[in-house]
């Protein structure tokens, strides 16, 4: 080791010596050249051996610095540095705004949309016009639009893959009725509203047919990705209402995009007859994709079934597919995004393949390209225009028509289809969500000149408000239909455990089984797993849920435990765990100890917050990986700690373990009579002395949480491989005993 270090230092010394020699000789050559041709260097007053820079005055040096700064600023104005700066700024602001939206209980897309508006002329351009012109000059808008469109092509491809046609077939009866009612009513109301908006707010040269049809489409859109995320976050994925909502939104998207393609075809063709020809071409292309390309893609899916088989050549093919489809639909005259969406729909129905492709596309699309799209939308949105004349009244009419048509259309249709009022109103609230899909449609209308800047701004604000109101509406409906003054059924589920890695979940489930009395026949455990990112797709969430709980289901069957699982993507794991704890009564809450990023404290970060904001019994397992449970040791420091003894006895009986008691303070004679009786009955040996090394033979050490915090020798003691430390807080019940 030392020899290699000396050789490395010698190598560096030789390198710098050789470099110094070359530079010195080069300086002499420069001086000789300047002597032969003085005008070549621009310095005739230099003396031999004196660098020219040393003869510069202070003003000249300052001038050189100014020139360098000006060159830097000029370089920032070049297309590539400017684009990189815009991307970085947009990503940072969108992420901050998205996190804030999640903090106030809204989908992150709300914050990202608001971030785009804040970066536009409505705020940034109004407060700092010069800085805004520097960051977002008009000449750079073309680059932003091209990049955002590429990102949207791949995003729509993923949205198409998210669409499960089997769900549409399974629930087609009521879903089609509800979905089409939620399209037709807002569509006709939007077309009716066009009668009042067209005379003053339609762009010059746009026919009333195009304007009214597009306004109807804008009122009819439901944001399938945002709705799916809301359904996930509220734990409705496996409920009947959640399935109906997803099916209706999927049907809504397919229908609305087909209508949009027809409208664009009419606008692009410039007349009714040419438009019909374009629509026929689009229908032909759809039929080719569904009945020729889709069966062929199914065969491809049978070949590329896993990550190993999905070579770079195969990935290239699958990613070229949406680009080719987008190019064809753009050439036909409908829109590139429709082609990308259709390409996703006809992809092989292989969950692994779709998940692998989504993984490769989604992160870049969602974190880079979509924020650029939000920024571009924000730049186009000019809230100041609404202060002119009576445009705020027009916006109120737009919002009223949008909410009435979508919410009422969905709710009434659901009620007529046999749903109760609570479910019908909840479906109406969910279907009223517009989000990103609405923005995509609005930008298409703006690009084709169908929407004026005023109408575009109104519709963007409408999309923001209708998406924002979804959460409060659902909460209000839930509260209105909740059954008051009913006492919660206690002890329906015995133990709640929360885990991140499934290996830790297995360790916690083993402990949960051990804590039950040996004679107990009813062993119920709820396992909670949260993905720390609410922006993941539905397919990805299903994959994480399956992989996280499969090992626990297997172990629960072996142990005879009735296992209930809870899963959701989350942007605030601590808050969502607390919500679960407060939702009902649990006997004890188990979680794994984990060190925070900036501390070695095993109770740092989330765990201390959970302990401080919850009142129930809790257990924290500190272990890299829990091994066998043959030897248990209970640490006793006070009379209060004796509540741990019966739990240790439960574990010992369930796993045929041996229990010992470590009494460093000599507290055993002061224990209550029933605890001393238990020690005698179970023949538990007592380990005396204050040296914690006696714990080294234990497979699991059980200790009161407060005692562990107060005794520094415990915190400084290292666990052996396979051993674990279970810190227990027993407060309000001992009904597990």
């Amino acid at each position: 080791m030392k020899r290699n270090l000396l050789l490395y230092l010698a190598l560096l010394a030789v390198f710098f010596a050789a470099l110094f020699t070359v530079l010195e000789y080069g300086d002499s050559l420069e001086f000789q050249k300047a002597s032969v041709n003085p005008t070549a260097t621009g310095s005739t007053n230099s003396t031999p051996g004196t660098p020219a820079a040393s003869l510069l005055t202070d003003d000249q040096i300052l001038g050189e610095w100014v020139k360098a700064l000006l060159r830097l600023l000029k370089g920032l104005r070049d297309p590539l540095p400017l684009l990189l700066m815009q991307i970085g700024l947009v990503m940072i602001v969108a992420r901050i705004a998205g996190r804030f939206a999640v903090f106030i209980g809204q989908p992150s897309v709300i914050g990202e949309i608001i971030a785009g508006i804040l970066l536009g002329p409505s705020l940034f351009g109004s407060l700092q016009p010069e800085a805004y012109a520097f960051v977002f000059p008009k000449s750079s808008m073309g680059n932003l639009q091209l990049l955002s469109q590429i990102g949207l092509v791949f995003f729509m491809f993923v949205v198409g893959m998210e669409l499960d046609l089997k769900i549409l077939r399974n629930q087609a009866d009521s879903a089609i009725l509800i979905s089409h009612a939620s399209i037709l009513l807002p569509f006709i109301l939007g077309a009716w509203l066009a009668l009042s908006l067209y005379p003053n707010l339609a762009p010059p040269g746009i026919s009333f047919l195009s304007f009214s049809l597009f306004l109807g489409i804008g009122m009819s859109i439901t944001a399938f990705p945002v709705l799916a995320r809301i359904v996930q976050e509220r734990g409705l994925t496996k409920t009947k209402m959640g399935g109906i909502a997803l099916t209706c939104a999927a049907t809504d998207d397919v229908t609305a995009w087909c209508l949009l393609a027809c409208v664009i075809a009419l606008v692009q063709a410039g007349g009714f007859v040419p438009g019909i020809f374009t629509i026929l071409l689009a229908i032909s292309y759809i039929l080719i994709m569904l009945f020729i390309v889709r069966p062929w893609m199914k065969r491809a899916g049978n070949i590329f079934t896993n990550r190993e088989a999905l070579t770079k050549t195969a990935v290239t093919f699958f990613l070229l597919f949406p680009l080719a489809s987008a190019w064809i639909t753009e050439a036909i005259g409908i829109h590139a995004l429709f082609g990308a969406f259709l390409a996703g729909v006809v992809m092989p129905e292989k969950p692994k393949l779709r998940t692998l492709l989504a993984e490769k596309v989604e992160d870049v699309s969602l974190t880079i390209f979509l924020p650029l799209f939000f920024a571009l939308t924000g730049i186009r949105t000019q809230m100041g225009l609404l202060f002119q004349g009576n445009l705020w009244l027009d916006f109120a009419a737009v919002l009223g028509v949008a909410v009435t048509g979508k919410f009422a259309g969905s709710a009434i249709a659901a009620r007529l289809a046999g749903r109760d009022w609570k479910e019908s109103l909840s479906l109406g609230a969910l279907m009223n969500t517009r989000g990103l899909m609405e923005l995509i449609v609005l930008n298409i209308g703006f690009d084709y000149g169908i929407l004026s800047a005023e109408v575009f701004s109104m519709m963007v604000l409408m999309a923001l408000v209708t998406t924002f109101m979804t959460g409060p509406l659902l909460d209000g409906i839930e509260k209105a239909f909740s059954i008051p003054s009913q006492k919660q059924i206690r002890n329906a589920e015995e133990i709640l455990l929360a885990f991140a890695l499934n290996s830790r979940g297995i360790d916690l489930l083993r402990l949960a089984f051990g804590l039950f009395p040996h004679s107990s026949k009813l062993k119920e455990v709820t396992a909670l797993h949260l993905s720390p990112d609410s922006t993941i797709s539905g397919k990805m969430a299903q994959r994480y849920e399956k992989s996280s709980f499969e090992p626990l289901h297997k172990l629960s069957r072996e142990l005879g435990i009735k296992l209930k699982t809870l899963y959701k993507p989350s942007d605030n794991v601590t808050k969502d765990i607390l919500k679960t704890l407060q939702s009902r009564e649990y006997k004890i809450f188990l979680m794994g100890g984990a060190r925070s990023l900036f501390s070695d404290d095993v109770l740092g970060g989330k765990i201390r917050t959970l302990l401080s904001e919850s009142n129930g019994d809790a257990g924290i397992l500190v272990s890299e990986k829990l091994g066998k449970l043959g030897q248990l040791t209970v640490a006793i420091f006070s009379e209060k700690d004796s509540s741990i003894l019966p739990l240790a006895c439960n574990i010992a009986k369930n796993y045929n373990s041996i229990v010992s008691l470590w009494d460093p303070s000599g507290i055993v004679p002061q224990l209550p009579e029933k605890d001393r009786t238990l020690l005698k009955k179970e023949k538990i040996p007592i380990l005396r002395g204050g040296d914690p090394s006696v714990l080294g033979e234990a497979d699991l050490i059980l200790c009161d949480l407060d005692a562990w915090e107060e005794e520094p020798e415990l915190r400084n003691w290292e666990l052996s491989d396979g051993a674990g430390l279970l810190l227990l807080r027993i407060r309000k019940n001992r009904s597990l005993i």
Side-chain angles (χ1 to χ4, degrees):
M1 183 70 180
K2 292 182 179 179
R3 181 171 176 271
N4 290 339
L5 178 61
L6 291 175
L7 288 174
Y8 177 69
L9 293 175
L11 176 64
L12 291 179
V14 172
F15 168 77
F16 284 114
L19 180 62
F20 179 77
T21 303
V22 170
L23 294 178
E24 282 291 310
Y25 184 69
D27 285 341
S28 65
L29 293 178
E30 183 179 351
F31 176 72
Q32 293 174 10
K33 183 177 180 181
S35 300
V36 174
N37 186 11
T39 60
T41 62
S43 178
T44 59
N45 298 323
S46 299
T47 58
T50 303
S54 65
L55 299 179
L56 293 176
T57 64
D58 291 342
D59 291 340
Q60 288 173 321
I61 293 174
L62 180 61
E64 292 296 324
W65 277 105
V66 172
K67 290 179 182 178
L69 181 60
L70 291 175
R71 284 195 299 271
L72 176 63
L73 292 176
K74 184 180 178 181
L76 291 177
R77 302 289 293 176
D78 291 339
L80 182 58
L82 180 62
L83 181 61
L84 294 176
M85 179 182 67
Q86 290 171 339
I87 292 174
L89 176 65
V90 169
M91 288 178 64
I92 292 171
V93 175
R95 181 53 55 188
I96 293 173
R99 296 290 296 180
F100 177 75
V102 171
F103 177 75
I104 62 175
Q106 291 291 329
S108 59
V109 69
I110 286 285
E112 292 166 356
I113 294 172
I114 293 175
I117 294 175
L118 296 180
L119 288 172
S122 299
L123 184 69
F124 184 29
S126 176
L127 298 178
Q128 297 290 332
E130 293 181 0
Y132 174 76
F134 177 80
V135 177
F136 295 108
K138 290 183 178 179
S139 59
S140 69
M141 292 299 101
N143 293 333
L144 275 180
Q145 185 169 6
L146 284 175
L147 272 181
S148 66
Q149 289 297 311
I150 293 172
L152 286 178
V153 165
F154 285 111
F155 174 76
M156 291 304 298
F157 175 58
V158 174
V159 171
M161 287 196 295
E162 290 281 315
L163 192 65
D164 192 345
L165 296 179
K166 291 180 180 178
I167 295 179
L168 299 183
R169 291 192 293 266
N170 294 339
Q171 303 192 50
D173 51 350
S174 58
I176 292 178
L177 171 64
I178 299 170
S179 174
H180 285 184
S182 73
I183 289 176
L184 297 178
L185 182 58
F187 192 100
I188 194 63
L189 290 178
W192 172 77
L193 183 63
L195 292 171
S196 63
L197 299 182
Y198 179 77
N200 299 320
L201 297 177
I206 290 296
S207 67
F208 177 77
L209 176 66
S210 301
F211 183 78
S212 61
L213 291 180
F214 201 90
L215 204 60
I217 290 290
M219 297 294 180
S220 306
I221 288 292
T222 291
F224 176 74
V226 178
L227 182 143
R229 195 171 301 166
I230 293 173
V231 168
Q232 281 180 359
E233 290 176 355
R234 290 182 171 265
L236 302 174
T237 307
K238 296 180 180 179
T239 65
K240 192 172 183 179
M241 189 189 75
I244 287 289
L246 291 173
T247 306
C248 291
T251 308
D252 199 356
D253 265 10
V254 172
T255 306
W257 275 96
C258 290
L259 289 174
L260 179 64
C262 295
V263 173
I264 294 173
L266 291 173
V267 174
Q268 286 286 85
F272 185 76
V273 175
I276 292 298
F277 178 72
T278 303
I279 292 173
L280 290 176
L281 284 178
I283 292 173
S284 300
Y285 179 66
I286 293 172
L287 294 176
I288 290 171
M289 290 287 282
L290 291 176
F291 296 104
I292 297 178
V293 177
R294 191 179 179 207
W296 187 77
M297 292 296 288
K298 183 178 180 181
R299 293 176 60 188
N302 293 330
I303 299 173
F304 304 105
T305 55
N306 54 47
R307 190 181 296 273
E308 184 180 4
L310 199 63
T311 62
K312 290 188 180 298
T313 302
V315 172
T316 302
F317 162 73
F318 282 119
L319 295 185
L320 280 175
F321 179 53
L323 293 177
S325 181
W327 177 74
I328 291 173
T329 53
E330 185 73 22
I332 288 174
I334 41 180
H335 199 276
L337 296 183
F338 182 78
F341 175 75
L342 189 59
V345 171
V346 302
M347 283 293 291
E349 294 180 358
K350 298 288 184 180
K352 287 185 179 180
L353 176 61
R354 290 193 174 197
T355 301
L356 288 172
L357 290 175
E359 283 179 350
K360 296 179 180 297
V361 172
E362 221 169 22
D363 287 344
V364 176
S365 177
L366 292 178
T367 57
I368 298 179
F369 292 118
L370 280 185
L372 290 181
F373 171 73
F374 292 132
L376 186 65
T377 303
I379 290 169
R380 291 173 163 181
T381 303
Q382 303 177 50
M383 295 301 177
L385 295 176
L386 303 185
F387 289 97
Q388 301 175 7
N390 295 321
L391 294 189
W392 280 109
L393 294 177
D394 290 326
F395 165 70
V398 167
L399 182 61
V401 166
V403 174
T404 302
K406 202 71 178 173
F407 181 83
S410 304
I412 294 172
R415 187 71 181 97
L416 293 175
R419 311 291 171 186
D420 59 41
W421 274 115
K422 179 184 178 181
E423 189 172 316
S424 300
L425 293 174
S426 299
L427 280 172
L430 288 168
M431 295 297 287
N432 192 44
T433 305
R434 286 174 172 84
L436 174 59
M437 302 301 289
E438 176 78 8
L439 296 190
I440 294 174
V441 172
L442 295 179
N443 276 274
I444 291 173
F446 194 81
D447 289 336
Y448 284 124
I450 304 172
L451 300 180
S452 62
E454 294 86 354
V455 177
F456 179 81
S457 299
M458 290 181 197
M459 297 291 283
V460 169
L461 189 56
M462 178 272 290
L464 191 61
V465 172
T466 53
T467 307
F468 189 91
M469 67 192 295
T470 302
L473 266 177
L474 289 173
D475 292 337
I477 293 167
E478 183 67 32
K479 185 176 181 181
F481 285 89
S482 61
I483 302 174
S485 68
Q486 277 197 351
K487 189 176 181 180
Q488 186 182 30
I489 300 175
R490 299 172 64 88
N491 303 332
E493 286 145 356
E494 301 287 344
I495 296 176
L496 172 68
L497 58 90
F499 66 97
L501 301 175
N502 54 24
S503 58
R504 178 52 55 89
I506 290 173
D507 291 342
L508 292 174
L509 188 59
R510 290 173 61 200
L511 277 181
F513 171 77
L515 291 175
F516 287 105
H518 186 61
S519 59
S520 173
K521 294 182 179 180
L522 181 63
K523 297 180 175 68
E524 294 190 11
V525 174
T526 298
L528 172 66
H529 175 66
L530 303 172
S531 293
D533 184 3
S534 68
T535 63
I536 60 175
S537 65
K539 296 290 184 184
M540 192 68 68
Q542 291 175 10
R543 180 185 178 189
Y544 290 157
E545 181 178 10
K546 182 180 179 182
S547 61
S548 299
F549 289 127
E550 268 187 349
L552 272 70
H553 280 297
K554 181 180 178 181
L555 179 60
S556 67
R557 289 191 293 269
E558 294 174 358
L559 297 176
I561 294 175
K562 183 180 179 182
L563 181 66
K564 177 183 176 182
T565 59
L566 297 176
Y567 170 81
K568 64 176 289 190
S570 170
D571 272 323
N572 192 327
V573 171
T574 305
K575 182 179 178 181
D576 285 328
I577 292 176
L578 281 172
K579 281 184 179 179
T580 306
L581 278 170
Q582 296 164 1
S583 65
R584 60 168 305 109
E585 190 79 17
Y586 291 98
K587 291 288 186 67
I588 190 170
F589 169 54
L590 298 178
M591 54 188 159
R595 291 177 173 85
S596 67
L597 183 61
F598 304 104
S599 171
D600 288 334
D601 182 10
V602 296
L603 300 181
K606 297 181 178 66
I607 298 175
R608 286 197 180 275
T609 303
L610 289 170
L611 290 172
S612 63
E613 297 190 19
S614 63
N615 298 317
D617 297 351
I620 301 98
L621 174 64
V622 182
S623 174
E624 290 296 328
K625 183 170 178 57
L626 192 62
K628 62 180 181 178
L629 295 174
Q631 178 68 50
L632 311 179
T633 300
V634 180
I636 296 286
F637 289 88
S638 67
E639 291 184 30
K640 182 175 74 72
D641 300 352
S642 63
S643 60
I644 302 173
L645 270 173
L647 299 178
C649 292
N650 285 347
I651 297 175
K653 290 177 181 177
N654 283 313
Y655 286 107
N656 295 319
S657 308
I658 298 173
V659 181
S660 60
L661 187 145
W662 181 45
D663 182 24
S665 305
I667 201 73
V668 169
Q670 304 173 26
L671 293 180
E673 178 65 28
K674 61 179 179 179
D675 292 322
R676 286 186 278 116
T677 302
L678 180 64
L679 289 174
K680 294 178 182 178
K681 178 182 178 182
E682 301 295 337
K683 299 180 181 180
I684 297 176
I686 300 173
L687 308 175
R688 303 187 184 277
D691 186 3
S693 62
V694 299
L695 303 174
E697 297 180 0
D699 297 317
L700 180 67
I701 303 158
L702 294 89
C703 180
D704 180 78
L705 179 62
D706 293 334
W708 184 82
E709 296 251 51
E710 294 169 2
E711 301 296 331
E713 66 268 21
L714 282 175
R715 296 199 301 274
N716 296 329
W717 182 73
E718 293 291 333
L719 292 169
S720 57
D721 291 341
L725 169 66
L726 181 61
L727 303 175
L728 290 161
R729 182 182 72 181
I730 308 298
R731 284 187 176 179
K732 62 178 181 177
N733 70 69
R734 296 174 60 179
S735 50
L736 273 170
I737 301 170

